Amino acid sequence: MIYKLRGKGENREVRIRIQRDEDVDITEFSRFCNLEPNHSVFTCENSGRDFVFKIGDRISLSSYLEEERTLEEVLSLLEQCTGFFNFILINGFFLPFVMYDMDRIWISTYGKVSFMYLPTDGMDEGKNLIDFFVELLSKVRASDDSCKNGIEKIIENLMHLSYYDENRIRRIVDTCRDRYLEPVYDIGGQIRKGSTNELYKLKQEFNRNMSGNHRDSGSGNYIHNVTTGEILDINPKDVLEINAQNIEFVVRNQ
């Protein structure tokens, strides 16, 4: 197969030409193209022996990893890759037809990951997914010690896995996030930053400041976990409970 990158800006595309002695499952490729945009907003199409992936202004994963990355960015990469592999499996596609070369995995300006998929006998036999994750993590330029330590711990945990297990990898990521990332909170419109041990203090402060006023957009009766993006709109009579271990917020109506 011949691999070419064409165009500029939003019109950039990857065009793969299949050789005459190579076979492609057109039905399988079309099914992937019809489903895949729902997963990663990535358009692909077939024209004769050419298979086209419209990448727009995305950059390759290898280029993305040349810059320093925060731990949250790294964890997001792992979660998205895990989600894509799960998407492949539950929809009856085949992992060996995924392109794992980091020069052929694409990242949008918002950090969205897109993989290319080509069901042809010209593809490699696939890649061990644990090895893929370890290779990805090994290429990261950590932005700080927390990121570096988190990556080292994830690699250590991955090396103990004898096979790819989506649920175990997600738990590894969640544990790393809880251990190495300092959560940031927006309580009643005020940004606060602190360790999980400070959550109970935030709870007490929040409940002390709750008034009997009717809830509205300007009342400040909400709590926002900036780290996860979760926003809870709270009635004055609600009791706020905070799980410090898992950084979760629970509202119980009185």
Side-chain angles (χ1 to χ4, degrees):
M1 66 179 67
I2 300 174
Y3 182 99
K4 292 184 177 180
L5 183 60
R6 294 182 173 179
K8 296 180 179 181
E10 296 181 356
N11 297 319
R12 281 205 315 158
E13 63 183 30
V14 172
R15 185 172 292 266
I16 301 175
R17 170 155 293 190
I18 301 302
Q19 303 302 296
R20 296 187 184 279
D21 60 345
E22 295 175 331
D23 292 323
V24 177
D25 188 334
I26 302 296
T27 302
E28 174 86 348
F29 180 78
S30 298
R31 188 168 73 88
F32 175 80
C33 292
N34 290 333
L35 285 177
E36 205 272 346
N38 296 324
H39 181 76
S40 64
V41 198
F42 195 68
T43 305
C44 50
E45 60 189 25
N46 163 240
S47 176
R49 290 190 293 121
D50 289 342
F51 293 81
V52 180
F53 298 83
K54 299 184 181 298
I55 63 171
D57 59 359
R58 293 172 175 84
I59 62 174
S60 67
L61 178 57
S62 57
S63 295
Y64 182 82
L65 295 178
E66 289 176 359
E67 303 292 333
E68 288 189 351
R69 296 297 166 188
T70 66
L71 183 57
E72 184 56 52
E73 288 175 320
V74 174
L75 297 181
S76 176
L77 278 178
L78 297 182
E79 288 173 329
Q80 290 184 72
C81 291
T82 301
F84 177 80
F85 298 147
N86 186 51
F87 162 84
I88 289 291
L89 294 171
I90 66 176
N91 284 284
F93 296 111
F94 296 93
L95 288 170
F97 295 143
V98 174
M99 294 189 178
Y100 298 97
D101 187 329
M102 294 192 188
D103 286 325
R104 300 180 181 183
I105 300 171
W106 303 94
I107 312 289
S108 74
T109 54
Y110 301 102
K112 185 71 174 178
V113 181
S114 295
F115 287 80
M116 297 192 298
Y117 180 87
L118 190 60
T120 174
D121 54 9
M123 291 287 287
D124 296 332
E125 294 182 356
K127 190 177 187 71
N128 180 295
L129 296 184
I130 301 300
D131 291 344
F132 169 79
F133 283 120
V134 171
E135 179 185 356
L136 187 160
L137 291 168
S138 299
K139 293 180 180 294
V140 173
R141 291 183 58 194
S143 61
D144 53 33
D145 289 340
S146 178
C147 181
K148 180 181 178 181
N149 294 336
I151 290 172
E152 290 176 349
K153 188 63 178 179
I154 292 175
I155 291 177
E156 177 185 334
N157 289 329
L158 287 174
M159 297 301 289
H160 286 94
L161 299 181
S162 56
Y163 59 90
Y164 173 76
D165 184 323
E166 177 199 2
N167 292 327
R168 292 181 68 182
I169 290 178
R170 289 191 182 279
R171 286 198 295 271
I172 289 172
V173 170
D174 290 341
T175 299
C176 179
R177 179 176 280 113
D178 288 350
R179 180 174 181 179
Y180 294 102
L181 282 182
E182 186 178 36
V184 180
Y185 304 95
D186 177 348
I187 296 190
Q190 294 183 341
I191 299 295
R192 297 292 298 276
K193 191 173 185 179
S195 66
T196 54
N197 291 331
E198 296 180 56
L199 294 180
Y200 290 111
K201 296 179 182 178
L202 297 178
K203 167 190 172 181
Q204 293 172 353
E205 177 183 344
F206 183 85
N207 285 331
R208 278 199 308 268
N209 294 333
M210 291 294 285
S211 68
N213 295 331
H214 186 274
R215 174 180 56 180
D216 56 46
S217 60
S219 67
N221 292 333
Y222 67 88
I223 186 167
H224 176 199
N225 184 337
V226 180
T227 305
T228 64
E230 182 182 17
I231 299 176
L232 296 177
D233 197 10
I234 302 174
N235 280 308
K237 293 183 179 180
D238 290 340
V239 175
L240 180 65
E241 296 183 3
I242 303 178
N243 183 328
Q245 181 176 0
N246 296 318
I247 316 179
E248 294 177 350
F249 301 95
V250 180
V251 175
R252 302 193 184 281
N253 295 322
Q254 295 296 297

